[in-house]
Amino acid sequence: MLSEVGQSSEFSPRQNAVLEQALRLLVDGGEKALTTSGVARAANCSKESLYKWFGDRDGLLSAMITYQASKVRTFERNGERLNTASLHDHLVIFARDLLEVLAGDVSLALNRLAIGQSNRDGSKLGKLLLERGRRQIDRRAIGLIDAGKRAGLLRFTDADEAYHTLYGLVVSDLHVRMLLGEPGLKDTSRQAEKAVSAFLKLYGTEKVLAEAAATV
């Protein structure tokens, strides 16, 4: 079977709860609200524990972004091969989680903050969002489609290109529009199914296409 990559893989439940409070402070109060004293008070923990778990403020930000990225579930192989149904289901879970995370208040706040800091010397948030957020999601999702290829369900020559096609089908320009103030999707499940269906039509093997046609 495939094992889910979830929030528990890097942080303890207590650390997850602290990071959730830190993200909420950022959303509600902006960058100025994100202090070790404020986080410790909101999360009912000591500043010493924060430093022990996450290090300095940059370490806390990095952990917050890693935690947020972990909400986009992907799956890694642990022995069994994918089949058409499980590949479809895992792709839909990934697509739906991605849409819900990107459209959430936390991700929008983090991205707006990074954009606002982009012209500052020494600003690290944008780099952290790429390295600890987007690239971690990318790496795990590419692992899923690579597993699909090894199982004879997907065909492509460049996994990175295939993944970015999937990402584009799922997200389109939604994130940019939301950063500019437009409301999000009312039905992320429908968009996820639509994107995965289009992706499988582009990259699915004859077996996948035949099985999909049989279910219509």
Side-chain angles (χ1 to χ4, degrees):
M1 59 189 290
L2 297 174
S3 60
E4 182 176 338
V5 177
Q7 294 173 20
S8 62
S9 61
E10 185 158 347
F11 304 113
S12 71
R14 178 61 176 135
Q15 290 167 343
N16 285 342
V18 170
L19 293 170
E20 195 68 51
Q21 289 298 324
L23 289 167
R24 183 48 50 192
L25 279 177
L26 180 65
V27 171
D28 292 343
E31 183 182 9
K32 292 181 180 179
L34 193 65
T35 64
T36 53
S37 296
V39 173
R41 185 165 49 252
N44 194 27
C45 71
S46 67
K47 290 193 287 186
E48 289 75 17
S49 293
L50 290 179
Y51 286 118
K52 178 181 178 181
W53 292 335
F54 309 118
D56 60 12
R57 189 171 182 276
D58 285 344
L60 176 61
L61 271 172
S62 178
M64 290 163 62
I65 293 165
T66 298
Y67 168 73
Q68 184 69 2
S70 76
K71 296 176 183 179
V72 181
R73 293 169 291 172
T74 52
F75 293 78
E76 295 179 352
R77 295 182 68 205
N78 68 356
E80 290 189 21
R81 289 166 66 89
L82 287 164
N83 58 39
T84 300
S86 62
L87 174 63
H88 170 272
D89 290 347
H90 299 332
L91 287 171
V92 168
I93 288 170
F94 163 74
R96 188 174 63 243
D97 284 357
L98 180 63
L99 286 167
E100 291 177 356
V101 166
L102 289 179
D105 290 343
V106 169
S107 288
L108 291 173
L110 283 168
N111 279 275
R112 286 171 178 148
L113 182 58
I115 292 168
Q117 293 182 356
S118 61
N119 60 351
R120 297 186 195 174
D121 291 337
S123 175
K124 296 181 180 179
L125 183 56
K127 185 177 180 180
L128 286 172
L129 281 171
L130 285 173
E131 292 182 351
R132 303 295 293 172
R134 173 68 186 268
R135 287 174 185 159
Q136 294 302 313
I137 292 170
D138 293 353
R139 177 185 59 79
R140 298 198 311 265
I142 288 172
L144 171 59
I145 66 172
D146 271 335
K149 182 178 181 180
R150 288 192 295 269
L153 303 171
L154 298 175
R155 47 197 169 104
F156 50 80
T157 56
D158 187 327
D160 188 69
E161 180 181 298
Y163 165 68
H164 282 93
T165 298
L166 172 64
Y167 189 96
L169 289 167
V170 173
V171 177
S172 184
D173 63 346
L174 173 67
H175 200 219
V176 173
R177 289 189 283 111
M178 290 196 68
L179 286 170
L180 294 174
E182 285 194 16
L185 293 172
K186 293 182 179 179
D187 188 350
T188 55
S189 294
R190 183 172 180 272
Q191 172 65 12
E193 287 280 0
K194 182 179 176 182
V196 169
S197 177
F199 176 75
L200 292 176
K201 287 179 181 177
L202 288 170
Y203 291 99
T205 60
E206 291 183 2
K207 176 183 177 181
V208 169
L209 296 176
E211 291 185 16
T215 61
V216 175

